[in-house]
Amino acid sequence: MQWLIYTLRGISQIFFVSNALSGALIIVGVALFNPLMAALMLLGSLVQSGVGSLHEHKEEVVDGRMGFNGALVGAFAGFAHLPLNLAILATLLGAVACVPVHNLVAKLFASSALSKAALPVSTAPFCLVAGTLKILTLTFFDPVATSSSSQAGLGLLLSLGNSFAEVVLADGWLTGLIIITALFIGSVQVGVFGLVGVLVADLTAFALLHSDISTISTGLQGYSAVLVAIALGAIFWTQERLTIRFLGVVLASAMTLVIGFLLALTPIPVFTWPFLLTMWLFMLAKMFIDTSAKQPLTHHPAGAL
């Protein structure tokens, strides 16, 4: 029963929430889109948690932080429509690989040059492992097209649900609605900032990228904004004033679209890289600002150059 709770928390931690009920609801939402994907997500979370418990990550295992990358690898295996045996194998190997990759990224961020920024590993293991798996399984890769609508009202509502669903590589307004409900159960702040991220992404897509309703409604331009808005607004900048957090969320959410657009021009699988790169850049910028603010002013003698 404990491992079931850890596994479900691993699912919820995809959205920075440690709540087994939220994780269960997210799985229900994904299962409505693709039952195999939901099963593979559970498998990936369980396997990464199990391997993590053997590598001195017991605290992270308990609150789910050593399960969500494995869950996302499982989501990728389901999303790619791999043959069943290959999907299971990819999930197993990928979830195991997430642990040493997590350790390597954490070691890099613990270096003297980066330690003050306290950069989180977050979904970096998923991006690196799933990117490798995509290259290895490219001949089998057959993802389902995303849902969309060209009608203004319906398209914007679909964007709201799809943006949350696409975080876990799923699709559909009902899946997205269930995920949103799961987040509000886990944390009202997480839910609110996630919604703010979608709204900013949609407005940015209209104003800067001149995207049409049909493109915006897929949620592919909003899912990284969901994550970065939650990360900065509800998790890592909670000591800052609300106005600072909100401003950071607005700017970061908009930046994810620009980075996503640039990455789409490269052979690198986009996944959640726009979220990661934006979050890290903003946290590094904050570190430099805070460090500069704490440095004492140097007083020069009168007439000194």
Side-chain angles (χ1 to χ4, degrees), residues 185-274:
I185 289 174
S187 167
V188 173
Q189 276 200 77
V190 165
V192 169
F193 276 105
L195 291 174
V196 170
V198 175
L199 294 176
V200 173
D202 286 352
L203 290 173
T204 304
F206 271 124
L208 297 183
L209 302 182
H210 305 292
S211 300
D212 57 28
I213 290 293
S214 180
T215 301
I216 292 172
S217 67
T218 64
L220 293 175
Q221 295 179 321
Y223 69 90
S224 279
V226 167
L227 291 176
V228 81
I230 292 171
L232 297 182
I235 306 299
F236 299 116
W237 284 9
T238 54
Q239 301 304 314
E240 301 296 325
R241 297 195 307 272
L242 184 59
T243 51
I244 297 297
R245 288 155 63 190
F246 185 78
L247 179 61
V249 163
V250 169
L251 295 175
S253 298
M255 184 177 286
T256 61
L257 273 77
V258 177
I259 293 178
F261 176 78
L262 294 175
L263 284 174
L265 301 176
T266 74
I268 300 172
V270 176
F271 292 135
T272 56
W273 281 119

Side-chain angles (χ1 to χ4, degrees), residues 20-67:
L21 177 57
S22 295
L25 281 175
I26 292 170
I27 285 297
V28 169
V30 174
L32 292 174
F33 168 69
N34 185 330
L36 177 60
M37 179 186 286
L40 292 172
M41 287 179 67
L42 288 169
L43 176 63
S45 180
L46 176 62
V47 170
Q48 189 194 0
S49 296
V51 175
S53 68
L54 302 176
H55 289 78
E56 300 181 354
H57 288 295
K58 292 183 178 179
E59 181 180 344
E60 291 97 325
V61 168
V62 170
D63 70 9
R65 284 178 291 141
M66 195 48 62

Side-chain angles (χ1 to χ4, degrees), residues 94-167:
V96 170
C98 282
V99 177
V101 173
H102 174 101
N103 292 339
L104 287 173
V105 177
K107 186 175 181 180
L108 172 65
F109 288 168
S111 64
S112 57
L114 296 173
S115 60
K116 289 184 180 180
L119 300 178
V121 173
S122 194
T123 58
F126 156 65
C127 288
L128 294 169
V129 172
T132 303
L133 288 174
K134 183 177 180 179
I135 294 172
L136 295 175
T137 62
L138 197 57
T139 55
F140 299 97
F141 194 71
D142 185 27
V144 176
T146 54
S147 59
S148 63
S149 174
S150 59
Q151 298 179 18
L154 181 58
L156 291 175
L157 286 175
L158 192 56
S159 167
L160 188 65
N162 276 345
S163 294
F164 284 85
E166 287 292 343
V167 172

